[in-house]
Amino acid sequence: MATSNLFTSSFFLCFVFVFFVLDTANAQGLKVGFYAKTCPEAEIIVKKVIAQTISEAPSLAGPLLRMHFHDCFVRGCEGSVLLNSSTKQAEKYAVPNLSLRGFQIIDKVKSALEKACPGVVSCADIVALVARDVVAASKGPSWEVETGRRDGIISNLTEALLNLIPPFANITTLKNDFLQKGLSVKDLVVLSGGHTIGTSHCSSFTNRLYNFTGKGIVGDADPTLDPNYVLRLKSRCKPNDVNTLVEMDPGSFKTFDDDYYTLVTKRRGLFQSDSALLNDPETKAYVKLQASTHGSTFFKDFGVSMVNMGRIGVLTGNAGEIRKQCSRVN
């Protein structure tokens, strides 16, 4: 048994090592200003389209930021979340992705870039640049985005189901899933702050409001959730409600700020994965720091962690392709 455990542990460590080596090798093909010579106006074009979009539809900021997360956590940051499928078997048709919005904005950006620089800027890079620009347009931070990604040609619904982190994840699952992507515990707690903008369907958290233990007890809500917040959420979401949208950061869901951490400390994090941040010494300390200092380092940290996430499983060099349309392979 001891020998078996040693073999298993060694195999896991080797797997993690190989993953990191391959990921680092791929990420070396990225750099800030990758399109400086081939499409010098690329980032300006993206920023212009996003500025107009957020001025007209600010509620799209959250979904467009989430799109980058959902892309990177499945097969890496290679634009596979954008691909359509006649059989509905691509990533975007997986249940966790059905609430994603803004694909038409990605297409709009791609169209503008194709007019300026045909066949140059990848859809994967567009998703990364758009994520930065929607945050900045929502009064949040800006950061330098590494570019040079190429687009993948495979998109699989099952892989999305296996790799996207559910809203009911506990702290152990969260830490393990981030580790497997080469991200740290700090990246986990920082990137969770992205929940400061956007909305969620009731179905992502109503398990916390009704029959939480599964015993059919009246008033059986998640004890880690503020009882007054439970009542407020119940007034919006009835059992089995799959249509109603609720603000993830009530009162400022269109503004990228540090209020998320204050809500978590008050036991008002909307998802179980938000509340879970209080169950680990490192994540709890960060949450309390940002809540007590009005996000003194959050904006800077968020940019750093977004760059880290943007390096996951990228395709560079001659790998993949540069799609002419983001919703289908060439």
Side-chain angles (χ1 to χ4, degrees), residues 128-249:
L129 291 167
V130 165
R132 186 266 310 274
D133 290 345
V134 296
V135 168
S138 302
K139 301 182 180 180
S142 185
W143 58 91
E144 292 190 318
V145 176
E146 295 175 339
T147 45
R149 300 168 189 80
R150 289 173 64 86
D151 299 321
I153 59 174
I154 298 172
S155 186
N156 185 283
L157 181 150
T158 302
E159 291 183 350
L161 294 174
L162 293 174
N163 285 278
L164 292 175
I165 302 174
F168 51 81
N170 60 31
I171 191 63
T172 300
T173 296
L174 290 168
K175 290 170 66 175
N176 286 342
D177 285 358
F178 269 67
L179 173 64
Q180 289 178 19
K181 302 301 181 185
L183 299 176
S184 68
V185 175
K186 183 175 182 179
D187 290 325
L188 160 63
V189 65
V190 170
L191 293 175
S192 294
H195 289 169
T196 185
I197 54 173
T199 58
S200 170
H201 285 91
C202 292
S203 54
S204 293
F205 59 85
T206 45
N207 68 303
R208 306 185 75 190
L209 310 179
Y210 305 99
N211 198 25
F212 181 67
T213 63
K215 298 179 180 180
I217 303 172
V218 176
D220 184 16
D222 185 346
T224 67
L225 201 56
D226 174 18
N228 292 322
Y229 193 39
V230 169
L231 293 175
R232 180 175 174 179
L233 291 174
K234 281 185 173 181
S235 70
R236 295 290 309 279
C237 301
K238 303 305 177 185
N240 304 315
D241 183 341
V242 296
N243 297 314
T244 303
L245 289 171
V246 173
E247 299 173 7
M248 290 194 288
D249 185 352

Side-chain angles (χ1 to χ4, degrees), residues 12 16 46 49 67 118 123 194 200 207 220 229 252 262 267 276 281 330:
F12 176 75
V16 171
V46 177
V49 173
M67 192 178 291
C123 298
S200 170
N207 68 303
D220 184 16
Y229 193 39
S252 64
T262 300
R267 298 165 57 201
N330 292 341

Side-chain angles (χ1 to χ4, degrees), residues 7-27:
F7 174 79
T8 301
S9 298
S10 299
F11 176 80
F12 176 75
L13 289 174
C14 288
F15 173 79
V16 171
F17 175 74
V18 171
F19 175 86
F20 283 131
V21 169
L22 291 175
D23 192 53
T24 301
N26 284 338

